Amino acid sequence: MIPVIGELRPWLDPTQLEMHRLPMRSSLPAGDGLRRSLDGNWLLRLFDHPDLVPAGAVRGATPEPNRQWQAVAVPGNWTLQVDGDAPHYTNVQMPFPGPPPVLPERNPTGVYRRSFTVPHGWSGRRVVVHVGGAESVHAVYVNDRFVGYGTDSRLPSEYDITDVVQTGANHIAVVVMRYSAHSYIEDQDQWWMAGLHRHVFIEARAEVDVADVAIVADYDPAARTGVLTALTTVSFGTAPAPGYTVRTRVETLGGRRVGVGAHQQVPHEHAAPYVFQGHRVVASWPALRVEPWSAESPTLYRVVIELLGPDDQVIDHTDQRIGFRRVEVRDRQLLVNDQPIWVFGVNRHDHHPDRGKAVTVDDMRADLVAMRAHNITAIRTSHYPNDPAFLDLCDELGFYVVAEANIESHGYNDSLCNDARYRAAWLDRGARMVTRDRNHPSVIIWSLGNESGYGVNHDALAGWIRKADPTRPVQYEDATRVEGWLDGGRAATDIVCPMYPSIAAIAEYALNPLADRPLIMCEYSHAMGNSNGSLADYWHTITTTPGLQGGFLWEWKDHTLRRRGPDGVSRLAYGGQFGDTPHDCNFVADGMMSADLEPRPALREVAWVYRPVTVTAVGDELQIENRQSFLGLGWLRARWEHLVDGSPVASGRLDLPDIAPRTSARVPMPSFGAGCEGDSERSLVVRWELQRRAWWAPAGHVVAWDEVTLGGERSAPVPVRVPVRVSGGEPIGMLLTSGPELNLWRAATDNDGFKLMPDLAVRLRIGGQALRRWQEAGVDRLDPADLVHHRSQVHDDEHGTTYRHVVEVPEDLADLARVGVMFTVSGRFDRMRWFGRGPHENYPDRRSSAMLAVWEADIDACPYLIPQEFGLRTDCRWLELIDRVSGQRVRVDAQSDALHMSVTRHLPADLFAAAHVDDLRSRDDVVVCIDVAHRGVGTASCGPDVLEPYRIPAGRHEFAYRLSASRG
Ligand code: GAL
Ligand code: MG
């Protein structure tokens, strides 16, 4: 049995939060040479249950590696490092039956062992071991002695080991139980992992030392000064003594002093216990001349704290990077430094496809670089505190952060939040997070957690946070879901932060005169597969309706994990692919990015809706709006380009006046001379480029773009302007390997329905219902001509072959996937050129970022993990398929209104049949779809379905196109 606590089994008891754990404190740096990392190789032995861990496993000299004791990396998840215990994915449901706090019969328990050295120079100091994060709960043993026990897998635990270590060689064992009573409040939608996934180190601390520093760095926007309070807590390892002082000063990161330093006595006696507040020193500065911090301009300062002994020698020192800013909710707005901000946000989990929860600083930085390059400037740390290094990066690089407590009881949504056994855990998790992260300027809002119903435990936590940190608003989604947006959940949320609301619902809220809290969606636009429809519609409503400020997309990246299959090939795996049951399949793959940080096409749309500057045409002028809250546009340069029929004919620099933040200005339309007469289509593109290299992109990177139409808009039928050289007598029919034939089916998207989770989709009716409807009507398998009334005409002339189609969709088939045709040509036509929206894939409800121009590209590969419809380019005037070797081209000219076209190497049936993108085989032929109508993509996998204007009505659909072939 595991020593000391084996009999007590604290992991079974939700009230048992910790034993001998030191109080949480802010992340203070260690003095030089006083911290030793214990990261690296440890030996791990797995047991099936904590009761099966023999005392010998944590005692005695560190074992030698053998079959039982395997080397694993710390930080790491053993579920990705050793055989015998795999990751397990569930969303809402728990991975094992309950009820809380009952645990499964098999509860893998790992004993980590290693030895370490305590340097000579550390004698006379206290020694502390820091366990950065252990999933789910852990116990620590040093030199055979029990040291402590801790819960909350996403926050560090520290234990004083002074009395059990010796100078020189020591050994440590950390026992980690995979599941515990606390798993029921760590039921987030992610992989269940296990192990020591964050840093472990030991540290020497002075006998009398700075135990914690809590800083409030307020900014007074009217006076333009910083208002600073630094509260330093001193801890006395021995009896408190007189004569200790604390010196506090503020400086720039370059070391320049700001204001005068403070030097204060540490209260030491308990002579007046009634008024004694602790060994605390409060230094304050009412008006410092400083630059404010914001995500746009993240100016940091440093507070340096020195503790001096009675002999006036510095015995301990530490520092904190801070930023001066004020966050308020006032007049239905979230304000930073008195200015409303747009919340261009995304939800981010800690995730790496190989390392799981053990993300490195480089991983975090890579996320942030890619976010910033797509104009994302706000992050919700869904759904738990991240490594402190993440907040350091956000402080430094400039991101607004909603810091969320590690509390989610989704599987037992409505009970645990009122369960007294979990009350202490609720409070502890939130309070420890605030204590650790309060000094970070990037954290502008505290979140009480996610999807845990709404109960007394929430109000208790909110009350604690509001008293401990009155400088930040508190938010919690379920409080208003349960009690209503208008007046519900006030005790737990200062912000109405719904998830996946419809546009109509947020507008209705904001227009209600009784609404007095800002609405910022904690989750919206679920990026599962081909998704994120109506992003631009959301942002149109957000930017035109006071009271709405934006939200956090769901979610930054897929959580897939690289797994080597029996065939020896590695692929990115989703739920169930590790033999994990029950599971929620590909719900774990709902990112704007793949787990490998490959951007999905929708991320272009995100970059566009989140752009910091917009351009629209108003009469003869361009209206330019600076959407930033603090900066001018000087960091960007604007270039315009005049397009005629999609091709540039003139370009130049746009001269700009100063445009203050959150204001707009008009400038004359650039004049472009000749070339714009007749019925040519004309547009003006304005691109905003980075003037100088930024930490997130090179100079010249296009930050924002807009295209305004200048008239000459097309009317049907399209006049034939481009002369086509018909290939020497070769009728187009010879080049087609099949079709054109009527096509009403697209390989269902994750939003159309969950093809891999029919139980969810069909029985429980969760997610989009379009797929179920189509399947019931046989759209996926019947001859389309049997479903709709279809007439077509074919006409040959010297320009090619023209096809005209009339399709009558009956009432009961309204809301089809598409109405169009499909044909195939030889695979040698592997490049495409088109005049339509691009360059990236776009759909009727996700195309604002796609400019109407002439584009050229290779044929897309399926960008989605679960094969589904992809590759559409809307509003095509024409499209050419190019054989690069012979120069031969097959050309499609829309002869009616512009048509939507896609070119891929897969039939819809191929895509629908495949369960993983790596199972997809390219056809030899190229598959071309031409649609007069194509259903939007919506976000029905979790959220609103495709909006009415982007659905396909019943009735008559008419279209025509000409196919021709040419050489070179
Ligand atoms: C939300 C939840 C997220 C995730 C998402 C669906 O309900 O907060 O954690 O589950 O839905 O992907
Ligand atoms: Mg959940």
Side-chain angles (χ1 to χ4, degrees):
M1 182 178 290
I2 165 176
V4 184
I5 60 168
E7 197 85 63
L8 292 172
R9 300 197 180 108
W11 54 90
L12 295 178
D13 180 357
T15 69
Q16 203 51 251
L17 309 180
E18 60 190 24
M19 294 178 203
H20 300 302
R21 183 159 68 178
L22 294 172
M24 179 56 94
R25 61 182 202 163
S26 42
S27 314
L28 301 177
D32 301 334
L34 296 177
R35 184 176 288 180
R36 288 261 167 135
S37 170
L38 299 189
D39 292 349
N41 271 351
W42 289 54
L43 290 174
L44 175 80
R45 185 169 167 196
L46 277 189
F47 298 87
D48 273 350
H49 197 277
D51 290 349
L52 298 177
V53 178
V58 303
R59 286 192 179 139
T62 309
E64 292 299 318
N66 55 33
R67 266 197 19 255
Q68 286 176 328
W69 290 97
Q70 300 180 57
V72 292
V74 173
N77 286 121
W78 77 56
T79 32
L80 295 174
Q81 298 182 325
V82 297
D83 291 334
D85 196 29
H88 189 148
Y89 170 60
T90 61
N91 176 1
V92 180
Q93 60 184 327
M94 289 291 292
F96 48 81
V102 174
L103 297 186
E105 263 167 39
R106 181 165 182 269
N107 181 9
T109 300
V111 180
Y112 283 88
R113 298 285 313 256
R114 67 164 282 164
S115 46
F116 63 94
T117 309
V118 171
H120 285 283
W122 285 15
S123 56
R125 291 177 173 272
R126 288 182 300 127
V127 182
V128 165
V129 61
H130 172 107
V131 178
E135 180 171 348
S136 129
V137 298
H138 67 279
V140 182
Y141 299 80
V142 172
N143 296 338
D144 302 351
R145 301 268 297 279
F146 173 71
V147 163
Y149 170 82
T151 61
D152 190 341
S153 61
R154 314 286 163 203
L155 279 175
S157 298
E158 292 186 337
Y159 306 93
D160 191 325
I161 55 173
T162 316
D163 291 345
V164 296
V165 288
Q166 63 214 18
T167 300
N170 296 268
H171 57 86
I172 181 170
V174 184
V175 184
V176 181
M177 293 81 181
R178 182 166 184 186
Y179 298 114
S180 70
H182 289 259
S183 300
Y184 287 97
I185 53 170
E186 296 189 359
D187 183 23
Q188 291 96 353
D189 178 6
Q190 61 181 345
W191 295 98
W192 296 91
M193 291 281 192
L196 297 174
H197 61 268
R198 290 196 188 147
H199 302 296
V200 181
F201 57 80
I202 52 167
E203 190 172 289
R205 294 185 185 161
E207 189 69 24
V208 180
D209 77 340
V210 174
D212 198 9
V213 183
I215 294 167
V216 175
D218 183 24
Y219 184 74
D220 180 342
R224 298 168 161 237
T225 51
V227 187
L228 183 78
T229 310
L231 187 158
T232 300
T233 305
V234 173
S235 103
F236 287 90
T238 51
Y244 288 85
T245 56
V246 168
R247 275 204 307 236
T248 314
R249 67 171 192 270
V250 188
E251 54 184 44
T252 63
L253 292 191
R256 189 172 49 77
R257 269 288 178 89
V258 181
V260 289
H263 192 178
Q264 293 151 291
Q265 292 283 336
V266 180
H268 66 280
E269 32 177 57
H270 294 229
Y274 189 82
V275 294
F276 177 69
Q277 295 192 358
H279 306 293
R280 304 173 2 166
V281 164
V282 180
S284 46
W285 290 263
L288 287 171
R289 214 178 271 281
V290 290
E291 293 295 318
W293 185 97
S294 70
E296 292 169 21
S297 181
T299 309
L300 293 176
Y301 293 84
R302 182 176 287 119
V303 175
V304 180
I305 292 117
E306 292 165 318
L307 173 65
L308 293 82
D311 57 357
D312 265 0
Q313 294 297 304
V314 174
I315 54 170
D316 191 19
H317 65 97
T318 192
D319 59 77
Q320 288 283 276
R321 289 194 316 178
I322 55 153
F324 291 88
R325 91 268 174 290
R326 177 175 293 178
V327 184
E328 286 165 289
V329 169
R330 192 174 6 109
D331 302 335
R332 270 208 311 171
Q333 283 183 315
L334 172 70
L335 305 175
V336 173
N337 300 334
D338 240 3
Q339 298 302 315
I341 56 165
W342 293 122
V343 179
F344 297 136
V346 74
N347 278 278
R348 177 190 173 280
H349 267 278
D350 279 341
H351 183 76
H352 188 274
D354 300 305
R355 292 188 288 279
K357 289 288 167 194
V359 292
T360 64
V361 172
D362 285 346
D363 298 336
M364 300 174 203
R365 186 179 268 273
D367 278 353
L368 295 174
V369 167
M371 284 180 192
R372 192 62 190 78
H374 292 92
N375 298 326
I376 291 166
T377 52
I379 299 164
R380 173 174 177 240
T381 65
S382 54
H383 297 299
Y384 40 79
N386 292 173
D387 189 291
F390 185 73
L391 296 179
D392 287 339
L393 288 170
C394 292
D395 293 345
E396 173 192 320
L397 304 175
F399 286 88
Y400 297 120
V401 173
V402 174
E404 189 150 280
N406 182 20
I407 305 172
E408 177 164 343
S409 63
H410 211 176
Y412 293 83
N413 199 63
D414 294 335
S415 53
L416 299 187
C417 52
N418 288 309
D419 191 323
R421 295 170 299 175
Y422 282 92
R423 180 170 61 218
W426 238 267
L427 199 62
D428 193 54
R429 285 164 181 256
R432 292 180 82 239
M433 168 184 76
V434 171
T435 307
R436 189 192 70 163
D437 295 338
R438 61 198 307 163
N439 296 345
H440 289 279
S442 55
V443 175
I444 61 163
I445 297 169
W446 301 116
S447 161
L448 306 185
N450 189 52
E451 298 186 319
S452 303
Y454 180 37
V456 289
N457 294 345
H458 289 108
D459 287 0
L461 173 56
W464 188 96
I465 296 178
R466 288 203 177 104
K467 184 73 176 167
D469 177 17
T471 72
R472 291 175 177 93
V474 167
Q475 76 170 50
Y476 179 56
E477 179 264 339
D478 250 357
T480 48
R481 183 186 63 80
V482 172
E483 291 196 344
W485 294 6
L486 264 193
D487 208 25
R490 286 187 187 270
T493 193
D494 300 320
I495 293 167
V496 175
C497 49
M499 45 173 74
Y500 312 105
S502 67
I503 295 172
I506 59 173
E508 187 192 315
Y509 168 81
L511 294 173
N512 189 318
L514 297 177
D516 62 352
R517 289 177 286 186
L519 188 150
I520 300 167
M521 297 174 285
C522 73
E523 294 177 27
Y524 77 109
S525 199
H526 194 245
M528 187 172 177
N530 191 347
S531 186
N532 309 96
S534 283
L535 257 183
D537 298 317
Y538 272 93
W539 276 88
H540 176 74
T541 300
I542 291 166
T543 49
T544 54
T545 318
L548 305 180
Q549 281 186 265
F552 299 86
L553 291 154
W554 190 267
E555 69 175 311
W556 175 238
K557 66 182 175 194
D558 289 356
H559 305 208
T560 51
L561 293 167
R562 214 180 319 276
R563 175 175 175 271
R564 193 193 285 272
D567 52 359
V569 179
S570 290
R571 29 183 81 185
L572 291 171
Y574 47 83
Q577 301 193 320
F578 288 89
D580 44 326
T581 44
H583 67 82
D584 291 291
C585 204
N586 61 310
F587 231 90
V588 80
D590 51 6
M592 317 279 336
M593 287 273 190
S594 77
D596 275 334
L597 278 191
E598 285 288 336
R600 300 263 154 68
L603 203 52
R604 298 306 298 156
E605 191 84 349
V606 174
W608 188 84
V609 294
Y610 284 1
R611 68 206 185 286
V613 50
T614 68
V615 179
T616 44
V618 181
D620 288 347
E621 293 181 314
L622 292 176
Q623 161 117 348
I624 300 182
E625 190 191 335
N626 178 359
R627 302 210 284 178
Q628 300 166 105
S629 301
F630 306 103
L631 293 184
L633 295 172
W635 56 289
L636 299 170
R637 62 171 173 251
R639 292 189 183 282
W640 59 266
E641 201 172 63
H642 181 209
L643 305 184
V644 174
D645 287 330
S647 298
V649 294
S651 62
R653 275 280 283 269
L654 198 64
D655 291 327
L656 291 171
D658 269 351
I659 306 179
R662 303 243 350 163
T663 67
S664 55
R666 295 202 179 160
V667 300
M669 189 79 75
S671 54
F672 1 85
C676 30
E677 307 82 21
D679 54 4
S680 325
E681 289 188 63
R682 290 173 285 125
S683 65
L684 182 84
V685 170
V686 178
R687 291 188 178 85
W688 300 82
E689 300 170 354
L690 265 184
Q691 292 266 26
R692 275 181 292 281
R693 194 174 76 89
W695 61 268
W696 45 275
H701 165 89
V702 177
V703 169
W705 63 99
D706 271 293
E707 182 175 34
V708 299
T709 306
L710 299 177
E713 272 171 89
R714 61 177 297 123
S715 51
V718 179
V720 181
R721 266 176 257 105
V722 186
V724 180
R725 271 194 289 140
V726 180
S727 59
E730 188 175 16
I732 181 69
M734 299 290 285
L735 290 173
L736 304 193
T737 48
S738 73
E741 56 198 30
L742 183 65
N743 184 23
L744 305 174
W745 168 241
R746 72 178 179 196
T749 64
D750 284 312
N751 289 328
D752 293 335
F754 302 127
K755 70 178 180 188
L756 301 180
M757 294 178 274
D759 200 47
L760 210 62
V762 180
R763 192 172 62 80
L764 299 173
R765 301 260 160 132
I766 289 176
Q769 297 300 306
L771 170 62
R772 184 183 52 79
R773 246 187 321 107
W774 297 333
Q775 285 179 315
E776 278 165 15
V779 186
D780 56 328
R781 46 181 205 282
L782 299 180
D783 181 347
D786 295 341
L787 294 165
V788 295
H789 187 254
H790 173 221
R791 277 174 291 130
S792 64
Q793 282 176 357
V794 185
H795 171 77
D796 284 310
D797 63 18
E798 76 276 21
H799 296 300
T801 306
T802 301
Y803 297 77
R804 292 189 181 282
H805 301 262
V806 179
V807 179
E808 305 268 1
V809 176
E811 277 304 327
D812 59 356
L813 272 189
D815 198 8
L816 281 166
R818 68 184 349 149
V819 174
V821 296
M822 175 167 68
F823 65 85
T824 57
V825 297
S826 157
R828 63 195 167 85
F829 294 97
D830 60 359
R831 197 156 165 84
M832 58 195 269
R833 197 167 163 263
W834 72 101
F835 177 19
R837 292 196 181 274
H840 50 283
E841 165 196 294
N842 53 88
Y843 284 81
D845 61 353
R846 200 189 72 219
R847 61 175 167 188
S848 297
S849 58
M851 289 188 286
L852 199 52
V854 174
W855 303 104
E856 188 171 331
D858 286 339
I859 295 179
D860 295 352
C862 178
Y864 303 111
L865 182 78
I866 309 299
Q868 55 195 278
E869 160 64 29
F870 73 96
L872 197 70
R873 304 297 193 280
T874 62
D875 297 340
C876 291
R877 280 66 174 148
W878 53 259
L879 171 123
E880 287 176 344
L881 301 158
I882 305 168
D883 172 350
R884 272 178 285 192
V885 178
S886 69
Q888 199 176 24
R889 293 169 187 227
V890 172
R891 182 171 164 114
V892 187
D893 280 278
Q895 297 288 291
S896 47
D897 281 345
L899 298 170
H900 312 316
M901 306 192 189
S902 74
V903 181
T904 70
R905 291 194 173 270
H906 313 282
L907 294 173
D910 304 337
L911 294 167
F912 192 61
H916 193 289
V917 68
D918 294 349
D919 298 339
L920 209 52
R921 295 284 155 266
S922 287
R923 295 212 161 237
D924 293 338
D925 283 352
V926 167
V927 179
V928 182
C929 294
I930 304 176
D931 297 331
V932 62
H934 195 108
R935 190 179 199 258
V937 290
T939 56
S941 59
C942 187
D945 203 342
V946 174
L947 300 184
E948 200 53 42
Y950 310 111
R951 297 198 187 193
I952 301 178
R956 192 178 167 94
H957 299 269
E958 247 185 287
F959 61 109
Y961 50 91
R962 190 186 56 218
L963 299 185
S964 56
S966 67
R967 234 170 240 293

